[in-house]
Amino acid sequence: MDNRQAIGSWLSGPRAAAEEMGADFGYRGERLGLPQEGPGSVAPLGRRFGALFIDWAACMLIAYGLIARGDQQAAGNWALGVFLVLSLLTVGTVGSTPGKRIMGLRVVAEDGGRLGTVRVVLRTVLLLLVIPAIVWDRDSRGLHDRLARAVQVRV
């Protein structure tokens, strides 16, 4: 066997090489017992980024108009605080931020229940650090969701 086939190329990556050799990774969310499509399935990345964009834009508007009083530099810093409060209150109570609600998403515990307060705080703080949110597992969950034992699903 050619070593390049076992390792994968820089274009296809090791997952593609493993799949060519017969490895079955299943669909996103299968290991969590979630359906492949429809309500309750793992939220697609596009919708998650859209929800984040909506939430961040709302936080920037609130920070710029109500707190920073027009100071753009201060508004960016205040927006982080507004996002923290928004996420803690909305994910902790109804399971989704306004952006997630618009995009048809919800944050639930791995077992399908609600997240407790400690897990919501952990998830939100890690999300604000950004790096944990861009490190994903094979179920497309960010490290912040994984450590909080949460998953974003379609409604």
Side-chain angles (χ1 to χ4, degrees):
M1 175 187 283
D2 186 7
N3 283 339
R4 289 177 294 173
Q5 182 183 8
I7 297 171
S9 75
W10 66 277
L11 289 173
S12 65
R15 179 180 176 134
E19 287 173 343
E20 285 177 15
M21 294 181 349
D24 180 22
F25 291 103
Y27 61 86
R28 293 180 309 130
E30 184 175 19
R31 294 182 310 158
L32 301 169
L34 301 174
Q36 186 171 1
E37 296 288 330
S41 64
V42 173
L45 292 175
R47 283 191 188 189
R48 289 169 33 195
F49 282 125
L52 182 62
F53 178 78
I54 292 167
D55 290 335
W56 185 250
C59 291
M60 283 296 290
L61 284 172
I62 292 168
Y64 182 77
L66 298 178
I67 301 171
R69 306 215 186 265
D71 182 2
Q72 288 182 345
Q73 189 169 359
N77 294 331
W78 280 107
L80 282 173
V82 172
F83 186 85
L84 174 74
V85 171
L86 173 83
S87 186
L88 290 175
L89 291 177
T90 58
V91 173
T93 57
V94 294
S96 62
T97 62
K100 287 184 190 340
R101 177 75 63 168
I102 290 168
M103 297 303 287
L105 306 177
R106 185 165 186 195
V107 179
V108 297
E110 288 176 340
D111 63 6
R114 288 183 37 175
L115 288 180
T117 305
V118 173
R119 289 165 56 183
V120 170
V121 170
L122 174 66
R123 181 185 182 279
T124 302
V125 169
L126 290 172
L127 180 61
L128 290 175
L129 294 176
V130 177
I131 298 299
I134 61 174
V135 176
W136 299 322
D137 65 6
R138 76 178 213 205
D139 292 318
S140 297
R141 287 192 310 161
L143 189 56
H144 66 297
D145 279 333
R146 221 181 135 113
L147 292 174
R149 295 189 332 265
V151 62
Q152 294 184 56
V153 296
R154 293 179 181 177
V155 177

